[in-house]
Amino acid sequence: MLIRIVKLTFKPENIASFERIFEESKNGILAFEGCNMVELYQDIDNSNIFFTYSFWDTESHLNQYRNSDFFKEVWGNTKKLFAGKPEAWSVHKIQSTNPS
């Protein structure tokens, strides 16, 4: 499994617009083959910084999504709202610990 983490920094006046875009597109993202989960996080100290986590079966599935017309439309609308350059990482989970 591959986890894609994206850090997004928005102009404060664009936060509501981004939240609306995410709400309207999350089910579309989940509908892509190989996508298992999509999560949205907001920084506690800087409310204009968000992180998306998406969980993919393989890098190929992520790339199919990233090359889709759906992604291009969503990303095109989202990047108009940025206050800073987005950052992204693709990672594999090495270990998880949960209390017994």
Side-chain angles (χ1 to χ4, degrees):
M1 178 176 298
L2 176 142
I3 302 166
R4 182 70 169 181
I5 304 167
V6 182
K7 178 184 177 188
L8 308 163
T9 304
F10 295 98
K11 296 174 186 169
E13 64 271 19
N14 292 335
I15 291 172
S17 294
F18 167 68
E19 290 175 326
R20 185 174 54 255
I21 289 170
F22 184 84
E23 186 63 31
E24 292 171 354
S25 61
K26 66 182 179 184
N27 289 330
I29 298 167
L30 283 169
F32 273 83
E33 182 180 350
C35 184
N36 299 296
M37 183 169 33
V38 178
E39 298 177 323
L40 178 64
Y41 297 89
Q42 186 175 30
D43 188 86
I44 291 172
D45 296 319
N46 299 297
S47 62
N48 64 317
I49 297 176
F50 289 80
F51 296 86
T52 61
Y53 282 59
S54 55
F55 294 69
W56 299 87
D57 288 338
T58 66
E59 186 174 10
S60 177
H61 287 108
L62 170 62
N63 287 334
Q64 287 174 14
Y65 163 68
R66 292 179 65 212
N67 291 322
S68 71
D69 290 337
F70 179 81
F71 173 81
K72 290 173 187 170
E73 180 181 344
V74 171
W75 189 248
N77 291 329
T78 302
K79 68 182 182 180
K80 296 174 190 174
L81 309 174
F82 290 152
K85 185 177 178 178
E87 298 177 62
W89 302 268
S90 292
V91 301
H92 294 285
K93 184 187 294 186
I94 300 297
Q95 189 176 111
S96 180
T97 57
N98 295 310
S100 307

